[in-house]
Amino acid sequence: MSATQIERRGPVAVISLVNPPVNGLGSAVRSGLEAAFNELLSDDAVTGIVIAGAGRMFSAGADIREFGKAPPPDVPNLPELIDWLEESSKPVVAAIHGVAAGGGLELALGCHYRIAAPKTRLGLPEVTLGILPGAGGTQRLPRVAGVEAALELIVSGRLVSEREALKLGIVDEIAHGDPVEAAVAKARALADAGTPPRRSSARDEGLAAARSNPGLFDEFRKGMAKRARGMNAPYACVRCIEAAVRLPFAEGRHFEREEFRRLVDATEAKAMRHAFFAEREVAKIPDVPDDTPTRPVETAGVIGCGTMGGGIAMVFANAGIPVTVVENDSAALEAGLAKIRANYQATVDKGRLAQDVMDRRMALITGATEFEAVAGVDFVVEAVFEEMPIKKQVFGILDRVCRPDAILATNTSTLDVDEIAGATGRPESVIGTHFFSPANVMRLLEVVRGANSSAGTIATTMGLSKTLGKVGVLVGVCDGFVGNRMLHQYLREAAFLVEEGALPQDVDRVIYEFGFPMGPFAMSDLAGNDVGWRIRRAKMADHPSNQRYSGTISDRLCERGRFGQKTGAGWYRYEQGRTPVPDPEVEALIAETSRELGIERRTISDQEILERCLYPLVNEGAKILEEGIALRAGDVDVVWIHGYGFPRHRGGPMFWADTVGLGTIAAAMRRFRDEHGEWMAPALLLEKLASENRGFKDL
Ligand code: 3HC
Ligand code: NAI
């Protein structure tokens, strides 16, 4: 079947893009468009043209899979096709439904009139792939929607609803019936009226405001500096929009094309493409085929309404799933529900949630103090205290009261899911759902597969994660699963660096400049240093006496009540809200501790900080892959991008490691092992790949 189809409706011809699932504008579609334009533009019987998408959407833009590959000869490029279309003297109307993203919206902007169906999302998300709209989007959007709106949309990559698009002038009309029919009628009316085509490229009125405000771009760059640090694409987007204001359309388009070419093959774009595909690949599990029967999750239960349980209940309610929360007693239940209400209220007060939506969500949450209240639900998440005897007791009860086909999930962060499953007579229906805090905000969900979790249980839970708006990544049972197990390596080395000579603010600066939202010490202060302190004290007896202990300074901070932001002091002082201020008292404590440990403090370079923090993290990722705890290197990257803020433009730790070179990392790990100790020994997989001159991407 051809990638485009033509249907004649009287004098109007409808060209449909037919390239499921998203009508990517790959070479077959572009050839199809070229043939269609040749045929229709020269056919006098055709007075108007409509462009529409077959299937789920108009078009998600260029076919990302074709990036980095030379196009077949004689296939026109998208910008040329769009220019050609726009030049047509016959009216061309876009009938948009579902999604018009990237090149898809650029194609629509080349049309003379745009009609969108309800529930359509439109935007230019190229920046999220490390590139820019390269088919005229940076030139046409500012002309159509104004420079300020174009800057915001193109640099954020945000998709807007058809209603917002209408307000911004990106679409001209919302269709209430069939958008194609409406577009055909419009094309016919325009042709009959003989109205000259309204070309986006000629609509200079959108540029006027910016021409009289030349400081606009510098101002915008200042505002985006924090978010865009370390990246090229957002700045290139701004330069192109600036060019739209400064240059005639054709020159601006040329400028855009050059900038696009520079970005598309750079590491930043490769990293972001990798992240895009890795996020979709996580859903594919080799031994759980797509057609595995799942059970519908229409009702849920959450056991424990503390920090995590409350957030998880909100996650279900936000997805429209009624949820029953069970607490120990009515006081704990009331406190938990009040916390949920306060959380929603804070969002309403900030204007980010409508009051009636909050009310509807609250109405979906029911409290109970008896487990019988979850007897009929489809899916239960346990989030009680992190103690094995309590978890086992809870699962014993759930097994007794819940319907036989219900799935029982635990939110444990450190305990053995198999041991918990062993407390039930249905280990095949038990699984881990490791949400990250705050559960209603963080997108990552580690789905922990137990030894006996059935394919149906896994498929249902992975499907549910999507329904809940989470990125579910399947992981195996081990201490810390994927994310926290790697985090441990990173935090430990950060602590050692401080004992050896760096200051918390040095480490945090290097990590922040690398692209994380914050460094390890600011993060610990945010999470609460007492959390790790309690865990360390509980595990102290297990700490091998011959192994270096990384908690000395943190313990001392906690002994002084410096738990972090919540106590106004931790690794930093917090005088005004959440801004960390380096504290001489902490520096003195660090110097004293180094002395007591017999460590002569030295100057530590930024490069050493980066390597010591990140290479052991990558090394642990290699062990995780070796052991099969994660299915693919890309899965580990997704965990780190969504759970820990690893900069997306670096592709995640494993992708980044490939860009550094595994030989370099393995050699550094050997050196670290010799200098510091066996815990730094390179993983076998890392050594193997390095010796074969391969990367994690080749696995
Ligand atoms: N190219 C190639 N494949 C694409 C694609 C694209 N532009 N967009 C989506 N896909 C693939 C996905 O990888 C997935 O494949 P799989 O089934 O094998 O895993 C399949 O299409 C379905 O995608 P989703 O699972 O993401 O479907 P959703 O319905 O959840 O989301 C969407 C739809 C919002 C359109 C989302 O797919 C999306 O955001 N796509 C990317 C949009 C984008 O960034 N476009 C810009 C492309 S670059 C460009 O146009 C350059 C131009 O300026 C020159
Ligand atoms: P929490 O202490 O805030 O909440 C636990 C709640 O469970 C309390 O409200 C308690 O009253 C209730 N509870 C205890 N026993 C119960 C029982 N038998 N029946 C009903 N309710 C009971 O703890 P938090 O932080 O919410 O942790 C819960 C689980 O989530 C733990 O397993 C923890 O390891 C895990 N987790 C915690 C994260 C965090 O950042 N806090 C992150 C990811 C997982």
Side-chain angles (χ1 to χ4, degrees):
M1 196 161 81
S2 161
T4 53
Q5 276 174 3
I6 299 174
E7 185 203 341
R8 308 266 182 147
R9 295 200 189 178
V12 176
V14 179
I15 306 175
S16 294
L17 311 171
V18 191
N19 187 16
V22 297
N23 293 330
L25 302 169
S27 42
V29 174
R30 298 202 307 278
S31 294
L33 284 173
E34 180 184 39
F37 296 169
N38 268 327
E39 176 186 329
L40 301 175
L41 293 174
S42 59
D43 183 343
D44 290 341
V46 174
T47 60
I49 295 173
V50 167
I51 303 209
R56 283 171 55 203
M57 63 184 72
F58 183 76
S59 167
D63 187 335
I64 307 168
R65 289 178 208 276
E66 289 186 357
F67 287 163
K69 297 178 194 151
D74 304 329
V75 174
N77 69 34
L78 191 59
E80 284 162 7
L81 275 174
I82 295 175
D83 286 354
W84 183 17
L85 181 70
E86 192 187 45
E87 277 311 305
S88 157
S89 55
K90 300 177 186 183
V92 185
V93 180
I96 307 169
H97 77 291
V99 176
L105 180 57
E106 291 175 296
L107 177 62
L109 285 169
C111 298
H112 305 139
Y113 196 85
R114 287 163 287 283
I115 298 181
K119 295 201 174 143
T120 297
R121 289 179 298 148
L122 307 97
L124 296 174
E126 283 88 342
V127 73
T128 64
L129 294 168
I131 53 174
L132 52 79
T138 66
Q139 305 304 297
R140 289 191 178 91
L141 189 65
R143 287 176 160 85
V144 167
V147 170
E148 291 194 42
L151 277 170
E152 192 274 319
L153 288 180
I154 293 175
V155 172
S156 70
R158 183 169 73 88
L159 301 189
V160 298
S161 68
E162 77 289 349
R163 288 183 309 278
E164 192 177 348
L166 181 69
K167 273 197 213 128
L168 290 168
I170 298 172
V171 301
D172 301 295
E173 191 181 317
I174 296 179
H176 290 293
D178 174 11
V180 178
E181 234 164 69
V184 169
K186 186 73 196 177
R188 201 167 180 158
L190 288 170
D192 290 349
T195 324
R198 190 197 43 168
R199 301 187 173 101
S200 304
S201 61
R203 290 171 60 182
D204 274 18
E205 71 272 9
L207 308 176
R211 283 194 174 130
S212 60
N213 179 12
L216 173 76
F217 292 99
D218 282 341
E219 204 51 38
F220 191 84
R221 267 188 283 264
K222 251 187 247 155
M224 72 189 232
K226 196 169 160 195
R227 215 167 7 118
R229 67 187 187 284
M231 288 183 243
N232 290 316
Y235 288 99
C237 290
V238 177
R239 278 197 299 278
C240 288
I241 301 169
E242 221 170 356
V245 174
R246 196 165 36 89
L247 302 172
F249 179 80
E251 285 175 41
R253 256 265 286 103
H254 179 72
F255 184 91
E256 173 195 89
R257 199 67 198 151
E258 291 303 304
E259 290 275 7
F260 179 86
R261 285 212 177 96
R262 251 196 298 281
L263 291 175
V264 73
D265 292 323
T267 305
E268 180 177 321
K270 286 183 185 152
M272 288 173 114
R273 285 204 287 279
H274 162 77
F276 178 86
F277 287 117
E279 278 161 3
R280 282 153 183 83
E281 203 173 7
V282 285
K284 302 187 174 94
I285 301 152
D287 64 338
V288 181
D290 283 350
D291 58 0
T292 303
T294 56
R295 68 186 311 316
V297 178
E298 282 160 9
T299 52
V302 173
I303 314 300
C305 193
T307 309
M308 294 307 289
I312 297 167
M314 291 170 79
V315 170
F316 280 108
N318 296 351
I321 299 176
V323 55
T324 303
V325 198
V326 180
E327 256 293 350
N328 262 334
D329 53 53
S330 48
L333 179 64
E334 279 318 310
L337 292 175
K339 187 83 195 292
I340 294 178
R341 196 171 294 113
N343 262 337
Y344 276 133
Q345 193 60 53
T347 319
V348 170
D349 293 347
K350 284 182 206 144
R352 294 207 210 120
L353 186 72
Q355 184 67 48
D356 62 321
V357 178
M358 163 174 167
D359 295 343
R360 273 202 300 281
R361 290 181 182 176
M362 277 309 295
L364 289 172
I365 303 176
T366 313
T369 52
E370 301 296 334
F371 278 73
E372 280 67 23
V374 294
V377 306
D378 302 312
F379 199 101
V380 182
V381 181
E382 163 280 313
V384 304
F385 300 133
E386 185 74 342
E387 285 171 41
M388 187 54 97
I390 303 183
K391 302 264 191 209
K392 282 182 159 172
Q393 190 197 11
V394 166
F395 272 77
I397 301 172
L398 288 174
D399 189 27
R400 221 173 44 245
V401 305
C402 290
R403 32 194 283 192
D405 57 349
I407 292 178
L408 309 181
T410 171
N411 188 49
T412 183
S413 40
T414 55
L415 301 175
D416 183 344
V417 174
D418 291 325
E419 194 176 339
I420 295 172
T424 73
R426 53 172 110 175
E428 70 285 355
S429 300
V430 176
I431 195 158
T433 46
H434 184 220
F435 286 85
F436 284 67
S437 182
N440 53 315
V441 176
M442 298 294 290
R443 285 198 69 208
L444 177 64
L445 178 64
E446 284 182 327
V447 175
V448 190
R449 169 185 202 154
N452 295 303
S453 308
S454 69
T457 299
I458 294 171
T460 301
T461 311
M462 292 297 286
L464 176 65
S465 68
K466 193 160 185 194
T467 309
L468 298 179
K470 302 290 174 196
V471 181
V473 181
L474 191 69
V475 304
V477 175
C478 69
D479 191 5
F481 311 126
V482 170
N484 285 345
R485 179 170 157 184
M486 290 166 71
L487 180 74
H488 178 68
Q489 305 291 316
Y490 162 79
L491 293 181
R492 185 196 58 213
E493 291 311 309
F496 286 161
L497 284 163
V498 167
E499 288 180 359
E500 291 167 28
L503 290 173
Q505 53 268 34
D506 300 327
V507 179
D508 281 356
R509 177 181 44 77
V510 170
I511 295 299
Y512 178 79
E513 282 169 5
F514 180 78
F516 277 89
M518 64 185 87
F521 297 103
M523 188 189 82
S524 298
D525 274 357
L526 175 64
N529 298 316
D530 51 320
V531 180
W533 188 37
R534 234 173 286 124
I535 296 172
R536 285 196 299 277
R537 281 192 301 184
K539 287 190 172 171
M540 205 46 162
D542 303 332
H543 189 78
S545 55
N546 61 349
Q547 204 163 306
R548 190 170 161 191
Y549 175 64
S550 63
T552 312
I553 300 173
S554 183
D555 290 350
R556 290 179 178 181
L557 291 173
C558 289
E559 283 155 15
R560 294 176 187 202
R562 300 185 70 117
F563 292 166
Q565 283 191 16
K566 61 186 166 191
T567 57
W571 289 95
Y572 298 95
R573 267 183 304 129
Y574 295 88
E575 285 160 353
Q576 283 160 354
R578 292 153 173 260
T579 310
V581 180
D583 188 345
E585 191 184 320
V586 174
E587 289 169 23
L589 175 79
I590 291 170
E592 186 188 308
T593 309
S594 302
R595 211 169 23 252
E596 273 177 39
L597 293 171
I599 298 171
E600 191 173 331
R601 293 181 68 76
R602 62 188 170 89
T603 306
I604 297 182
S605 71
D606 288 359
Q607 185 60 24
E608 180 177 348
I609 291 176
L610 196 69
E611 293 179 3
R612 282 277 295 282
C613 288
L614 296 190
Y615 290 179
L617 184 152
V618 167
N619 195 45
E620 197 65 27
K623 290 184 191 168
I624 281 169
L625 289 172
E626 216 170 88
E627 293 166 25
I629 296 293
L631 281 170
R632 294 158 286 240
D635 289 24
V636 176
D637 288 332
V638 172
V639 164
W640 269 80
I641 290 171
H642 289 287
Y644 303 85
F646 196 98
R648 188 183 180 82
H649 67 278
R650 297 196 188 267
M654 311 315 273
F655 182 91
W656 173 74
D658 281 351
T659 66
V660 172
L662 298 192
T664 304
I665 297 183
M669 289 306 297
R670 285 194 293 274
R671 202 175 67 241
F672 293 155
R673 177 198 52 207
D674 298 344
E675 287 168 5
H676 301 283
E678 251 335 285
W679 71 86
M680 293 284 247
L684 291 178
L685 179 65
L686 178 66
E687 288 282 33
K688 181 171 181 298
L689 290 173
S691 70
E692 293 165 357
N693 215 359
R694 296 199 304 152
F696 293 118
K697 67 176 183 318
D698 304 314
L699 285 174

